[in-house]
Amino acid sequence: MKEFKEYKAIFEDFMVSNFPKVSPRELYEPYKYLMELDAKRIRPVLMLSVNECYTSIDRNVLVTALALELFHNFSLMHDDIMDK
């Protein structure tokens, strides 16, 4: 089993290399900015570490971990917007 920082690095490398490079820029730049902020990444790291207990880390688990982190960050941003 790897250390937390190793799982975090695996996830962040995958996340950065899979940012959409499409238009409109106004739609994707805010989410890219939000996802590049320094964060603990506890949810995706837990997902990767639990997955590795059973099988190796593959693209499917990385995509799922990314979706989990995107949804979590969206919910935080939505809460901030609703709270003004």
Side-chain angles (χ1 to χ4, degrees), residues 5 42 46:
K5 63 184 177 182
I42 291 173
L46 283 173

Side-chain angles (χ1 to χ4, degrees), residues 2-80:
K2 296 173 182 58
E3 290 188 23
F4 185 94
K5 63 184 177 182
E6 293 174 286
Y7 287 116
K8 184 177 177 183
I10 291 168
F11 173 75
E12 289 186 341
D13 288 345
F14 177 80
M15 179 183 69
V16 169
S17 66
N18 285 279
F19 279 138
K21 296 166 181 63
V22 295
S23 298
R25 191 180 64 117
E26 296 82 12
L27 178 63
Y28 293 102
E29 285 298 319
Y31 115 81
K32 182 178 176 185
Y33 167 78
L34 183 66
M35 293 300 290
E36 287 180 337
L37 292 174
D38 189 36
K40 295 178 286 246
R41 309 285 188 222
I42 291 173
R43 288 156 194 82
V45 166
L46 283 173
M47 178 172 279
L48 297 180
S49 64
V50 169
N51 180 82
E52 198 170 51
C53 290
Y54 299 98
T55 186
S56 61
I57 296 173
D58 63 9
R59 181 170 172 74
N60 289 333
V61 73
L62 286 164
V63 168
T64 306
L66 181 56
L68 180 66
E69 189 69 0
L70 281 169
F71 183 76
H72 170 69
N73 281 284
F74 164 78
S75 67
L76 293 175
M77 181 62 74
H78 181 267
D79 185 56
D80 288 348

